[in-house]
Amino acid sequence: MIRVVVQLHTIAQKKTKNGRIDKINLEISNGSTILDIIERVDIPLKFEDLLVVIEQKTVAADYQPQDGDIIHIIPAISGG
Amino acid sequence: MLVWRINSRERSYTTKDSPSTWERLGGRGLVARILLDEVKPDCDPLGKYNKLIIAPGLLVGHKVSSCDRISFGGKSPLTGGAKEANSGGTTGLSLAHLGIKALVLEDQPTDDKWIVLHISKNGVQFEPADDLIGLGVYRSTEILLDRYGKNVSLVLIGPAGEREYLASGIVNLDKDRVPSRIAARGGLGALMGSKKVKAIVIDAGRGENPPIRDIEKFKNAQKIYNQALKDHPQTKIYHDYGTNAMPGMSDGFGGMPTRNFSAGHFEGLEKIRGETMREIILERDGEGKPSHACMPGCIIQCSNVYPDKNGKTIVSPLEYETVGLLGPNLGIDDLDIIAQLNWEVNDLGLDSIEIGAALGVAAEAGLMKFGDGERALELVHEIRQNTLLGRVLGNGAVITGKILGVKRVPAVKGQAMSAYDPRAIKGTGVTYATSPQGADHTAGLTIRAKVDHLDPSIQANISRTAQINMAGYDTLGACIFAGNGFASAPQAIKELIEARYGWEVSENILQELGKETIWLEKEFNRRAGFTSAHDRIPEWMTKEPLPPNQSIFDVPESDLDHIFDDLDKNG
């Protein structure tokens, strides 16, 4: 098992009675992919509508995170 | 649709059919066409030969969601090249309802008498503006709405435009009559000021929608587009968080401009991002609104009203570019201070991007400590007071850098960069470098592309596609976010245009309009003396690594030089 931190942005954040959850610590099995994590965290968007960023770079759906990674799950927008 | 020409020296006007070569253009494309046809490329941007061109986009006039934008343009006082800046609000709709395809302000008064132009179906009235001179945008708006009624649209400048500051913009009312929609970039407020026009009042009466050749086809296309826009996931993001949904994304890529573009990650991110802003607005309640439409009929509603602790409005809206340049770029992590700075900048009629960049340069020169919001407000107060330092800052980042001896100035063609560092989002760097407009994210932002933003070899094509599409949308009068709906329903553009005008257009009409527009702008710039040497990111950004990526801007110059080689006058 490895440990990662999933950082949730905008509409991917979870709303609870105690406020919004923007960070989830996960233990995942070796070989888990980004798609596995998206499913586990229950993100209500398709991968194509997300930008998944680790250390300032986008990663693909089949990327296998490493122990200690901080994974940003960002609902993509086109501009500001 | 007619072209209305107003001679600011003679105080006369004419209305005529538009030439056939202008008919199939609107917005940014029409601005570029008129520039090339009628404005001497080597003219003084603040002299009598320049023209202020105001043109609704091709789709404007029917409250199609996010498609009623108004373009302003001329030879830029800031860049010296072709300039178009557009805004939401009600101006586009009102001009279209008067049947105006373009409003062209010409010549220059020989005296110092300021005027208000009143435009209605009865023509143009030239009225004195003496009581408005020196007043900020908000107070001027109150007076003008009292005088002319609540149903008019307004186009106006603040003290910055009156003083011909190069960072001044042109302000328009939103649908709630707040002067908050600014065609900010390129110093067009100074161009309007050079014509001694403080405000244009547009009274469209009850207004008539421009004629539609095939109403059934238009309604069908509108329905398909509306549904696509409603269903798009970005619509909910912009509705809930506004454009300030962006900080997490830009910072996530290491591209948030921080302390005068010296870093790409801001440690105060949590305090200024859209998620926090939404919580503050909802908690404070009162006049605050996390979602708000700037144009009638907009489905997205990405605007907002940001309140103080007592629920009273500080500013509307608070947008990402302003937050980025007046926040992290100055080391400021307090949204209340950023909102106050935003209000001041709006009231003066200034471009918040250009002023944020100028203040960042000033901070690097030691005139304020990064993070000192009160000092930032004092510096903006210098602009209001028209002190020597205020005049320096009001003329933008490049002049501020030259006078204060700062070489690290984030600008291309004289215009400051928006809130994406080109060393981290290199495709947007290509846009900054090669757009005829100067550094401008709205000319072709690439951050959404699912690519390695640090790989220099792939950026030119991504930027080229984005630039062509954006020039197309700007010609239609469509907001960048309308593009989400059109991307899901691409046929809708063709069908809306065909139904509206009775033309037959290709499925690639968006790209055809975009290519033609960029060619026209580049040709104007070429005649004005621009060369490939102007299509460069500042040299220091090609040498100085940007933390945390430690990246430099290293897209090959040959990619920059040949990005639009295939464009010709036919687009």
Side-chain angles (χ1 to χ4, degrees):
Chain A
M1 299 292 276
I2 60 171
R3 290 180 179 187
V4 297
V5 177
V6 180
Q7 189 81 49
L8 304 171
H9 294 246
T10 63
I11 60 171
Q13 294 182 349
K14 312 288 180 189
K15 292 186 179 69
T16 71
K17 283 183 203 165
N18 300 321
R20 63 184 161 96
I21 296 174
D22 61 359
K23 191 188 287 186
I24 298 175
N25 295 298
L26 280 187
E27 276 198 5
I28 56 174
S29 54
N30 288 324
S32 294
T33 66
I34 292 295
L35 275 187
D36 295 332
I37 292 170
I38 289 170
E39 191 178 338
R40 176 138 166 223
V41 179
D42 193 21
I43 302 294
L45 292 166
K46 299 176 201 157
F47 180 75
E48 66 197 46
D49 295 322
L50 297 168
L51 288 169
V52 181
V53 177
I54 299 175
E55 293 198 351
Q56 294 88 47
K57 284 193 176 179
T58 46
V59 294
D62 60 356
Y63 179 82
Q64 297 176 9
Q66 308 297 303
D67 190 42
D69 274 348
I70 298 172
I71 304 163
H72 291 268
I73 295 183
I74 306 172
I77 52 172
S78 303
Chain B
M1 301 283 277
L2 299 174
V3 176
W4 290 34
R5 291 177 188 276
I6 298 174
N7 187 301
S8 62
R9 181 176 56 84
E10 295 174 354
R11 299 193 176 179
S12 62
Y13 75 98
T14 62
T15 64
K16 284 186 181 166
D17 286 330
S18 72
S20 60
T21 52
W22 295 6
E23 264 178 28
R24 293 196 174 210
L25 290 170
R28 178 173 163 188
L30 183 55
V31 165
R33 179 79 261 174
I34 297 174
L35 261 178
L36 200 59
D37 286 352
E38 297 193 352
V39 175
K40 281 161 56 91
D42 58 354
C43 73
D44 173 0
L46 298 175
K48 65 184 287 188
Y49 298 113
N50 201 5
K51 300 185 181 188
L52 177 63
I53 303 155
I54 309 174
L58 283 171
L59 288 178
V60 173
H62 305 281
K63 297 182 186 171
V64 175
S65 180
S66 323
C67 291
D68 280 323
R69 291 182 76 83
I70 182 72
S71 288
F72 296 82
K75 177 173 175 173
S76 169
L78 185 71
T79 72
K83 175 52 59 186
E84 183 266 1
N86 58 66
S87 95
T90 62
T91 301
L93 209 51
S94 290
L95 287 178
H97 285 172
L98 285 173
I100 296 177
K101 184 170 181 67
L103 185 65
V104 185
L105 268 62
E106 302 179 336
D107 211 331
Q108 191 162 57
T110 51
D111 57 28
D112 281 334
K113 290 182 178 151
W114 287 84
I115 52 172
V116 171
L117 298 173
H118 181 272
I119 294 174
S120 70
K121 63 182 180 184
N122 298 320
V124 181
Q125 302 292 320
F126 298 79
E127 301 183 358
D130 302 342
D131 57 333
L132 299 170
I133 297 310
L135 296 183
V137 162
Y138 292 102
R139 180 66 190 132
S140 297
T141 295
E142 287 173 357
I143 293 170
L144 288 165
L145 291 178
D146 277 350
R147 186 173 301 161
Y148 295 103
K150 304 290 185 196
N151 294 323
V152 299
S153 295
L154 296 179
V155 173
L156 72 163
I157 57 173
E162 294 171 26
R163 298 170 192 159
E164 299 182 2
Y165 285 173
L166 301 184
S168 59
I170 296 176
V171 184
N172 301 266
L173 303 188
D174 70 11
K175 71 172 182 46
D176 299 316
R177 306 181 193 92
V178 176
S180 59
R181 314 314 305 188
I182 307 181
R185 309 239 60 197
L188 292 175
L191 172 52
M192 187 161 152
S194 75
K195 308 298 185 198
K196 295 283 182 283
V197 175
K198 171 72 176 178
I200 305 171
V201 179
I202 306 158
D203 184 351
R206 289 181 185 168
E208 285 183 26
N209 289 357
I212 294 175
R213 289 292 184 94
D214 185 337
I215 289 176
E216 202 57 35
K217 183 174 178 176
F218 193 90
K219 280 185 178 171
N220 281 340
Q222 185 175 8
K223 190 175 169 188
I224 290 166
Y225 159 71
N226 277 350
Q227 195 59 50
L229 190 58
K230 273 183 193 163
D231 291 344
H232 200 284
Q234 289 199 32
T235 297
K236 177 160 178 54
I237 302 171
Y238 285 121
H239 180 273
D240 287 359
Y241 303 100
T243 59
N244 205 26
M246 182 56 80
M249 195 160 144
S250 57
D251 196 272
F253 285 121
M256 173 66 84
T258 301
R259 290 180 288 277
N260 192 32
F261 287 74
S262 63
H265 165 64
F266 182 51
E267 62 283 353
L269 176 74
E270 288 306 317
K271 292 185 179 175
I272 56 102
R273 62 190 305 163
E275 296 91 327
T276 307
M277 183 179 80
R278 179 177 171 83
E279 282 182 348
I280 291 172
I281 293 172
L282 291 173
E283 277 170 20
R284 289 180 177 176
D285 201 14
E287 294 171 1
K289 292 179 188 168
S291 309
H292 172 257
C294 83
M295 290 188 279
C298 178
I299 290 170
I300 305 170
Q301 303 185 10
C302 72
S303 177
N304 57 54
V305 180
Y306 186 86
D308 65 14
K309 287 172 182 164
N310 300 313
K312 290 281 177 195
T313 302
I314 301 179
V315 76
S316 171
L318 194 50
E319 303 253 16
Y320 170 65
E321 302 299 334
T322 301
V323 170
L325 270 297
L326 292 172
N329 189 51
L330 304 182
I332 294 173
D333 64 3
D334 183 334
L335 281 174
D336 288 3
I337 293 278
I338 295 168
Q340 288 172 49
L341 285 165
N342 195 174
W343 187 91
E344 294 286 341
V345 166
N346 287 358
D347 193 47
L348 289 163
L350 287 161
D351 172 6
S352 59
I353 295 176
E354 194 66 43
I355 292 303
L359 290 176
V361 170
E364 181 149 332
L367 291 183
M368 67 171 266
K369 284 184 184 166
F370 285 111
D372 186 345
E374 293 302 326
R375 179 60 182 150
L377 281 162
E378 285 175 14
L379 289 177
V380 173
H381 192 62
E382 296 265 354
I383 302 175
R384 188 178 288 280
Q385 295 302 310
N386 205 20
T387 65
L388 180 58
L389 175 58
R391 278 177 264 165
V392 171
L393 297 168
N395 278 293
V398 168
I399 284 179
T400 299
K402 282 184 176 165
I403 291 176
L404 299 182
V406 175
K407 290 184 179 169
R408 299 181 67 269
V409 177
V412 178
K413 297 184 181 73
Q415 182 168 282
M417 293 176 184
S418 331
Y420 311 88
D421 195 301
R423 291 165 289 181
I425 315 294
K426 293 182 183 177
T428 300
V430 174
T431 299
Y432 289 163
T434 60
S435 168
Q437 300 287 332
D440 185 347
H441 68 293
T442 68
L445 187 57
T446 64
I447 194 168
R448 169 66 180 89
K450 210 173 262 199
V451 299
D452 180 356
H453 291 294
L454 299 177
D455 178 355
S457 70
I458 60 171
Q459 305 301 332
N461 277 339
I462 299 166
S463 168
R464 177 190 148 89
T465 301
Q467 288 194 60
I468 289 169
N469 286 342
M470 279 316 303
Y473 286 128
D474 290 343
T475 298
L476 293 174
C479 166
I480 180 174
F481 309 139
N484 296 322
F486 287 129
S488 303
Q491 278 290 108
I493 297 176
K494 169 182 161 66
E495 286 169 11
L496 284 168
I497 290 284
E498 287 184 344
R500 160 76 178 84
Y501 292 99
W503 306 333
E504 195 171 315
V505 299
S506 88
E507 290 178 357
N508 300 319
I509 182 64
L510 179 73
Q511 289 74 26
E512 288 170 4
L513 290 170
K515 287 177 181 176
E516 182 179 359
T517 298
I518 291 174
W519 183 84
L520 289 165
E521 291 171 346
K522 286 188 73 71
E523 180 59 15
F524 181 84
N525 280 4
R526 188 187 69 75
R527 295 180 193 179
F530 283 71
T531 69
S532 59
H534 296 90
D535 291 343
R536 294 291 181 267
I537 290 295
E539 191 173 293
W540 64 271
M541 286 183 159
T542 69
K543 308 290 182 202
E544 182 182 306
L546 176 73
N549 285 313
Q550 303 305 331
S551 54
I552 58 171
F553 186 79
D554 53 0
V555 174
E557 291 183 350
S558 57
D559 284 9
L560 305 179
D561 291 344
H562 299 296
I563 187 169
F564 293 125
D565 271 1
D566 61 320
L567 299 191
D568 60 25
K569 63 183 176 183
N570 299 313

